[in-house]
Amino acid sequence: MGMKCPACGGYLEFDIESQKLKCTYCGSFQDPQKNNLKKEADRQSVQKRESAEQISVDVYSCKNCGAELCAPNEQVVAFCMYCGGQATLLRKAASIRKPVGIIPFEISKKKVCELYSKKIDEFPFVPRSFKKSEFLEGFRGIYIPYWKFSAKVNSYISIKGAGTRSKYGVYEASERYDVKAWCVGSIDSGTYDASEAFDDTIAFAISPYKEASIIPFNEAYLSGFYADMATVEPNAYDYVLREDFPKIAQSEIRKHLNGIEPDIKEVKSQIKLQKMEAETFLFPVWFLTWRKGKRVCYSVMNGQSGELSIDLPVDYMRFFRYAIVMSFFVVNLMDLLPVFIIPFKVATASSFLLYFSSFIFNRELKKICQIETHYFDVGSSLRKNKELKETSTGLLVLDVLHYLAAFLMVIPAFLVTTSEHVLKFFILMLSFQLIVFIRQCKSSFGIKNGIGIIPAFISLFVQVAGVVVAYNDIQADIYYYDISICCLVAMIINIVTSVFYMNYLTTRPAPNFYTREGAKNGR
C-alpha cells in the first residue's frame, strides 16, 4: 500500500480535502485514479504474483489483544485502536481478498476534532482528559470492511388478499386482489459489518453511508490510513438476510403493483433466493480510544457523514460534588414543606422507592451484561454466530410485571391510610422485589465485576424485614422508622453502585481476538 511520489521519490498519502494523493516530502499532488504510480521496489515482485482477487498488504498484529490491521508500508504502528495498547505491533506480509469498492474519507482530522470537541462540551461529568488536545491527536483513520450481499430470484408467487385503500371524502374504500406473477431478477442487500473487532452497535450508531458514493477499489485511497480485515464469515448473516431479503423483495414487488400491498408473510414463504453472493467494501471511520485498566472507551465518527458515537465515562469526583450540592438545596427545600409524618406511611413509601431504585438498577445491569457479552454483535465469537433468541414467555411476563408494578404502586405507596393495609402492601412489594432480584442475579452473573449481586441481596433482605414487622403487627413507631432508614440505606447503595457501574455501561471490556473464530476461518 505504500506509494512513492514520481517527482521526488517521497511517500504519498491520501489528502482528504483535495481528494488526491499528496507527497509528504515535496507537497506535490497526484491523481489517485492514475495507474502510473509505482509501489516500492521491494514489493514489486510480490505484486506480480498477485491474482486479480488478492492484494498484498503489511499486516500488524497487536500483542495485547490480537487485533490485526493493515497499514501503509514502512509506517511504524505503535498504537492499537481497539484495545488502546501502546506496544509496537508485530508486522508481517500477507495477501487478503481484494475489496470490490471503497468510500474515501471526506471529513478531515481537523474537522473531526472540532465536531468531537463541540459534542463533548455538552456533558459536564466527562473526565478532563477527554478534552485535552493531545488526546484528540489520537484520532486515527481506519477503513472498516462491510459485506454486501446479492441474490438471484426466479420465483412464481401467488399472493392472496393483497389490497389497496382509498379515501373519498368521509368514505374509505378498500379493494382486495389475488396477485399471481413471476419474479425474476436480482436483489441487493444493505451493508453489514464484516469486522469482529468493530462492534455492530457502533456500526449501527454511525450509519448510514451513502452507497452512491462507492467507487471501484483503488489502493491509493488507503495510503496514510489503516484498514481492518474481514474476520466475520458471510454466513454469520444468514438469519438476518432471511428477514431482510423478503422485505426488499416486497418493496420491489410493490413498485410494480400500483399501490397494492403484498403481504410480507406470503412474500417470505414464496420468494426463493438463488446464487447468494457476498462482496466486501471498505467504509471510512475515524477512531479514538481511551483506556483505563481493562476497560476501553471508543469515540467513533463516520468518515463520510460525520455521524458520531461516543462512549462517555463519568468523573466520579465531579459527579459526587455536584450531587452533594444539589442534595443540600433539596433537603433545605423539603424542610420548608408542612408535612405531617405518619410512621407506617413513611415506611410504605420508602419500600416502594427502594423497589423503584432496584428496578432502575436492574435495567442498567441488563444493558451492561449485553455489552459485556456482545449480545447485539453478530460477528462476535462470544455470540458464536447464533441467532438472537426471542425472550422466553416467562421472562416476558416478569418484565410486564415490572412495568405494571412501577405504574400501579406509586399511588398506594403514598396513600396507605391504616395499619391493616400495611402488611398486604409489604407482601406485594416483596413479591415485586423478588422478581427484580431474580433478574439482577441473572444479569450480574454475566458481568465479570459481579458486585451488583450485593445490592440485590440487601434490597431483598430489607423488604423481608418490612414484611416481618408488619406481620407481627408491631405498633412501636421506632420499627417503622428503622425500616424506612434501612430502605434509605439500601437505596443509597443501589444509587452509588449504579454510579460506579455507570462506567461499565459507558465503557467496554478490552478486546481479545486471539480466539476469534472469524480470524481463523476468514483467511
Side-chain angles (χ1 to χ4, degrees):
M1 288 185 289
M3 293 187 174
K4 284 189 175 183
C5 174
C8 69
Y11 282 100
L12 297 170
E13 291 187 357
F14 180 70
D15 181 68
I16 298 173
E17 293 182 357
S18 66
Q19 292 291 295
K20 294 183 178 181
L21 291 170
K22 181 178 180 181
C23 178
T24 58
Y25 184 76
C26 70
S28 62
F29 291 90
Q30 302 291 332
D31 187 347
Q33 296 296 337
K34 290 184 178 180
N35 296 321
N36 61 352
L37 299 173
K38 295 183 180 180
K39 294 187 177 182
E40 306 161 329
D42 61 350
R43 298 188 62 186
Q44 288 182 356
S45 59
V46 177
Q47 190 177 23
K48 291 179 181 178
R49 295 195 298 268
E50 291 177 355
S51 69
E53 301 296 327
Q54 299 284 320
I55 58 173
S56 62
V57 296
D58 286 335
V59 177
Y60 293 82
S61 301
C62 176
K63 295 185 291 185
N64 295 324
C65 69
E68 293 187 338
L69 302 172
C70 305
N73 196 29
E74 291 193 1
Q75 176 174 323
V76 178
V77 182
F79 178 81
C80 175
M81 62 191 66
Y82 286 118
C83 73
Q86 298 292 330
T88 301
L89 277 66
L90 303 176
R91 174 181 171 184
K92 64 180 179 181
S95 294
I96 62 172
R97 178 176 177 176
K98 184 178 181 180
V100 174
I102 187 173
I103 297 179
F105 277 88
E106 297 180 14
I107 299 179
S108 66
K109 185 174 181 178
K110 180 180 179 181
K111 184 65 174 179
V112 170
C113 293
E114 291 175 358
L115 294 174
Y116 174 85
S117 298
K118 183 178 180 180
K119 185 68 175 179
I120 212 76
D121 287 338
E122 300 175 6
F123 302 92
F125 305 122
V126 175
R128 297 185 188 278
S129 59
F130 271 60
K131 301 181 180 182
K132 294 181 178 180
S133 57
E134 55 266 30
F135 175 66
L136 299 185
E137 283 300 313
F139 265 110
R140 296 288 186 271
I142 178 173
Y143 283 100
I144 298 295
Y146 280 74
W147 288 116
K148 188 175 180 65
F149 299 89
S150 61
K152 300 293 183 182
V153 177
N154 189 355
S155 303
Y156 176 79
I157 62 171
S158 176
I159 302 175
K160 297 182 179 180
T164 62
R165 290 179 178 273
S166 304
K167 196 169 184 178
Y168 305 96
V170 295
Y171 298 99
E172 185 178 274
S174 61
E175 300 175 280
R176 313 299 293 177
Y177 303 91
D178 290 343
V179 178
K180 298 181 179 180
W182 276 100
C183 294
V184 181
S186 61
I187 300 178
D188 293 327
S189 73
T191 52
Y192 304 86
D193 171 25
S195 168
E196 183 188 345
F198 195 64
D199 196 282
D200 288 353
T201 57
I202 301 177
F204 179 79
I206 65 171
S207 63
Y209 285 90
K210 298 176 184 177
E211 296 185 27
S213 301
I214 296 176
I215 60 176
F217 177 75
N218 186 333
E219 291 182 60
Y221 292 105
L222 299 182
S223 186
F225 297 97
Y226 301 94
D228 201 349
M229 307 177 72
T231 52
V232 177
E233 289 295 312
N235 58 18
Y237 286 103
D238 283 350
Y239 82 93
V240 178
L241 295 174
R242 287 200 300 269
E243 298 295 328
D244 288 356
F245 268 136
K247 293 178 182 178
I248 299 171
Q250 180 195 34
S251 177
E252 291 298 319
I253 293 171
R254 187 189 298 125
K255 293 178 182 179
H256 300 278
L257 295 181
N258 297 323
I260 298 176
E261 294 289 336
D263 189 293
I264 182 61
K265 292 183 179 179
E266 294 197 31
V267 173
K268 184 176 180 180
S269 63
Q270 297 184 49
I271 287 289
K272 305 301 180 184
L273 303 176
Q274 304 170 354
K275 295 183 179 179
M276 185 88 70
E277 296 181 354
E279 297 177 327
T280 54
F281 294 81
L282 295 180
F283 292 169
V285 171
W286 284 105
F287 218 100
L288 179 64
T289 306
W290 179 85
R291 178 166 182 161
K292 186 173 183 179
K294 295 183 179 180
R295 308 290 297 182
V296 293
C297 287
Y298 295 147
S299 298
V300 182
M301 181 179 289
N302 184 316
Q304 181 190 45
S305 68
E307 193 67 33
L308 185 63
S309 170
I310 312 178
D311 297 331
L312 292 176
V314 175
D315 186 323
Y316 295 135
M317 295 304 297
R318 296 178 67 186
F319 178 85
F320 282 117
R321 281 198 300 266
Y322 179 83
I324 290 171
V325 172
M326 290 301 298
S327 299
F328 175 80
F329 285 108
V330 171
V331 169
N332 281 275
L333 178 63
M334 294 183 65
D335 283 341
L336 301 176
L337 299 177
V339 179
F340 298 97
I341 298 177
I342 301 175
F344 61 78
K345 275 194 173 184
V346 174
T348 53
S350 299
S351 175
F352 168 77
L353 292 175
L354 173 58
Y355 160 75
F356 191 73
S357 68
S358 300
F359 173 76
I360 299 299
F361 184 38
N362 170 63
R363 290 176 60 84
E364 183 175 317
L365 285 176
K366 182 178 180 181
K367 292 178 182 178
I368 295 170
C369 182
Q370 290 172 343
I371 290 175
E372 294 287 291
T373 57
H374 300 276
Y375 183 75
F376 295 108
D377 187 10
V378 175
S380 172
S381 58
L382 293 177
R383 279 279 316 281
K384 297 181 181 178
N385 295 335
K386 293 182 179 179
E387 298 183 23
L388 289 174
K389 295 182 178 179
E390 296 293 332
T391 304
S392 66
T393 304
L395 294 180
L396 183 61
V397 170
L398 291 180
D399 284 335
V400 171
L401 288 176
H402 280 183
Y403 288 105
L404 286 176
F407 177 75
L408 297 177
M409 299 307 296
V410 175
I411 296 177
F414 293 93
L415 297 183
V416 174
T417 56
T418 65
S419 58
E420 297 177 359
H421 299 151
V422 175
L423 176 60
K424 295 179 181 179
F425 183 84
F426 271 117
I427 292 175
L428 194 58
M429 292 312 305
L430 176 60
S431 62
F432 286 128
Q433 188 71 48
L434 184 60
I435 295 173
V436 177
F437 174 78
I438 295 172
R439 301 307 300 272
Q440 284 178 313
C441 290
K442 182 176 181 295
S443 297
S444 295
F445 292 147
I447 303 173
K448 291 181 179 179
N449 186 349
I451 62 172
I453 198 70
I454 298 176
F457 272 109
I458 293 174
S459 299
L460 183 65
F461 176 79
V462 172
Q463 297 285 18
V464 171
V467 171
V468 172
V469 170
Y471 178 79
N472 289 288
D473 196 22
I474 299 175
Q475 299 298 318
D477 292 349
I478 187 63
Y479 287 98
Y480 289 103
Y481 285 127
D482 288 342
I483 292 297
S484 301
I485 292 173
C486 289
C487 288
L488 176 62
V489 172
M491 278 189 285
I492 292 175
I493 293 174
N494 278 340
I495 294 171
V496 172
T497 309
S498 295
V499 172
F500 282 103
Y501 256 128
M502 196 176 296
N503 279 0
Y504 260 79
L505 186 58
T506 56
T507 61
R508 305 166 188 270
N512 184 344
F513 303 117
Y514 282 110
T515 58
R516 62 182 176 186
E517 295 177 355
K520 295 178 182 178
N521 301 326
R523 291 182 291 281

